């Protein structure tokens, strides 16, 4: 992936996140709003039911009270006429009659078979003067109610109220086919029950429920509806919100693309400009001799020093540079700069080695050979000081040609190292076919060297193999002192890693080289002095013994 696709992917992710997060919030808010609204509507429905029932009871009770006051308290022919007149006057009253203490009808207008049925609760001495009972007769879910008023002689006047007064309050459209309304009297007598046939959800957790109690009579209306039906009312809004968020997401992506996407050629132009400006420069990481603590040389690692001073690692641009054939020019430039920067140091110290990384494409033709000749022929860095590294990570296309190029380089005196050994697919075949001089053991194996026995065995066999084939070995990525001890035990003498130094600019590397050399000389001098003192002491011993 090249450096600019990463930015693009990030932009898309951020845009999607920015646009979808509000969608969750909007959904929750809309659901809450829908449920609150449904509850308000259900409260209103409950209130209407209770209110109608209260009115029916109050009107009937006051009618019966008036009859009582007017002494219309018997089943006499005279009273029957008055009953009839009241029925005609009050549309909601279906019948009027007299009942006994147990609740059985004694007479009823209009005349009907009495059939000895109990229609009212029995009279209680301490009970209320008003009694309410329900008949089986019903209309659209509502029963006909019987309301009574106690007279003095243990009888009572009663009136049957038409179910029509109480029936039907459909409520709002979206709740209509799901909601259930029930109206009950205190003693759990059902007056009215309607709806709830299409329950989409029977889970009580998912039900909304509202209870409304009458302040005048023991009446309770219960309205229930599935929360999902309430939420359906905002379905359209949700779709709208989702569409809006999708639109916003697209907009964000479009804006992101606008800012982060540049046509291939433009990105390429920028890269080419960076090459022309000399922004790709060498850093140098020391390779140490871990026996003598002296500097063996360095590996040249490319860095992109951008105009704003930011240093970019090869992981960010190397694949792009390789895929677009920029790497050839970049490598040439880096080698030229290396000659300028460390040529003097290398001229003065002919044992130092300079490792240069090549990639598979460099082995497609002989250009690399002529490049190396052109750059180093007349420089202070000799061919014998140069090592080219070829990685095992990516396969070489044409092994035969690669072998020839390597042989030509070796004929000049350049050495060839196989990089990242153990990580690729090359393995033994590479080592033998390519005829490399040095292997570099990857950090992956060095990392576990002090703790893991099996990894030590891998390193062991690599060392053995290298010895048998007469190759040198460099351990990569050494970060800890224990690793150095183990490497020495295994017979490895060259190593590179943060334990010694990170890759650094030329100035620092030259200082590092001088400092290590001074320290090594100082160590040599002290060792020589100690040896001389020991020799002197033992000579004195010999003389003393002779005397
Ligand atoms: P490499 O050739 O295997 O280089 C070693 C990498 O390991 C370098 O990363 C180095 O900084 C890092 N390293 C060294 N010691 C340690 C250590 O102790 N701990 C850790 N964690 N890392 C250590 P860098 O410089 O980022 O280079 C990455 C890769 O980019 C190189 O891996 C090489 O494959 C490629 N590369 C760098 N410069 C060039 C170049 O000029 N040309 C080509 N073709 N590839 C290059
Ligand atoms: Ca390397
Ligand atoms: Ca390596």
């Amino acid at each position: 992936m090249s450096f600019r696709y990463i930015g693009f992917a990030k932009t898309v992710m951020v845009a999607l996140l920015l646009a979808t997060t509000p969608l969750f919030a909007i959904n929750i808010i809309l659901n809450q709003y829908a449920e609150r609204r449904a509850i308000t509507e259900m409260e209103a429905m409950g209130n209407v039911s209770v209110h109608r029932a209260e009115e029916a009871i109050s009107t009937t009770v006051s009618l019966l009270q008036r009859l009582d006051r007017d002494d219309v308290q018997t089943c006499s022919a005279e009273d029957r006429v008055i009953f009839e007149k009241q029925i005609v006057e009050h549309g909601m009253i279906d019948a009027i009659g007299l009942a006994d203490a147990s609740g059985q009808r004694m007479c009823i207008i209009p005349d009907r078979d009495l059939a000895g049925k109990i229609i009212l609760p029995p009279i209680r001495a301490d009970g209320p003067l008003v009694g309410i009972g329900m008949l089986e007769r019903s209309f659209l879910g509502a029963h006909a109610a019987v309301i009574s008023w106690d007279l003095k002689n243990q009888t009572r006047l009663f009136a049957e109220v038409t179910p029509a007064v109480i029936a039907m309050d459909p409520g709002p459209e979206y709740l209509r086919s799901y909601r259930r309304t029930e109206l009950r009297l205190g003693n759990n007598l059902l007056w009215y029950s309607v709806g709830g046939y299409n329950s989409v959800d029977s889970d009580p957790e998912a039900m909304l429920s509202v209870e409304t109690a009458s302040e005048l009579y023991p009446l309770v209306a219960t309205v229930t509806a599935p929360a999902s039906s309430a939420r359906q009312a905002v379905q359209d809004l949700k779709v709208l919100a989702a569409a809006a968020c999708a639109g916003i997401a697209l907009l964000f992506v479009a804006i992101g693309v606008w800012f982060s996407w540049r046509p291939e050629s433009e990105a390429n132009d920028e890269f080419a400009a960076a090459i022309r400006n000399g922004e790709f420069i060498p850093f140098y990481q020391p390779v140490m001799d871990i026996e003598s603590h002296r500097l063996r040389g360095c590996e040249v690692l490319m860095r992109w020093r951008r105009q704003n001073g930011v240093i970019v690692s090869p992981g960010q641009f190397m694949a792009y540079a390789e895929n677009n054939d920029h790497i050839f020019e970049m490598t040439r430039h880096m080698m030229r700069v290396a000659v300028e920067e460390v040529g003097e140091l290398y001229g003065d110290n002919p044992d130092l080695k300079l490792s240069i990384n090549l990639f598979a494409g460099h082995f497609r033709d002989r250009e690399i050979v002529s490049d190396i000749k052109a750059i180093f022929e007349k420089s202070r860095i000799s061919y014998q000081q140069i090592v080219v590294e070829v990685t095992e990570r990516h396969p070489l296309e044409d092994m035969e040609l690669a072998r020839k190029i390597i042989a030509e380089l070796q004929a000049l005196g350049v050495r060839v190292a196989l990089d990242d050994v153990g990580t690729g697919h090359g393995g033994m075949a590479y080592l033998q076919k390519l005829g490399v001089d040095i292997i570099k053991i990857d950090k992956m194996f060095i990392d576990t060297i002090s703790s893991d026995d099996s990894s030590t065995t891998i390193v062991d066999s690599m060392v053995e193999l290298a010895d048998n084939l007469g190759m040198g070995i460099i351990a990569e990525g050494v970060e800890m002192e224990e690793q150095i001890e183990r490497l020495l035990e295994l017979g490895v003498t060259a190593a590179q890693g943060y334990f010694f130094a990170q890759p650094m600019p030329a100035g620092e590397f030259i200082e590092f080289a001088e400092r290590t050399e001074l320290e090594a000389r100082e160590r040599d001098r002290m060792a020589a002095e100690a040896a001389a003192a020991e020799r002197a002491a033992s000579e004195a011993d010999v003389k003393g013994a002779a005397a």
Side-chain angles (χ1 to χ4, degrees), residues 27-39 233-234 237:
N27 255 312
I28 293 171
I29 291 169
L30 280 178
N31 282 344
Q32 282 176 350
Y33 161 76
E35 286 175 22
R36 266 202 314 277
R37 190 173 83 158
I39 284 179
V234 291
L237 284 177

Side-chain angles (χ1 to χ4, degrees), residues 441-442 445-446 448-449 454-465 473 487 490 492:
I441 303 177
D442 193 76
F445 301 104
I446 304 303
T448 48
I449 195 174
S454 70
S455 157
T456 309
T457 321
I458 294 177
V459 176
D460 248 324
S461 49
M462 285 179 184
V463 173
E464 199 183 310
L465 183 72
I473 303 170
L487 286 169
L490 292 168
V492 177

Side-chain angles (χ1 to χ4, degrees), residues 466-483:
D467 284 345
N468 289 343
L469 296 173
M471 295 172 187
I473 303 170
I474 301 175
E476 284 192 302
V478 172
E479 292 182 348
M480 289 172 298
E481 185 135 37
E482 305 92 86
Q483 294 171 328

Side-chain angles (χ1 to χ4, degrees), residues 299-301 355-358 389-391 419-420 440 476 496:
E299 177 174 4
V300 185
L301 293 158
S355 267
I356 290 159
N357 287 284
L358 300 181
E389 296 189 5
V390 45
T391 179
D419 201 357
D420 313 315
K440 297 191 79 175
E476 284 192 302
Q496 165 185 0

Side-chain angles (χ1 to χ4, degrees), residues 31 37 148 182 231 341 345 360 411 413 464 477 525:
N31 282 344
R37 190 173 83 158
S148 69
E182 280 182 8
R231 290 177 191 164
E341 289 183 334
L345 176 73
E464 199 183 310
R525 192 182 58 77

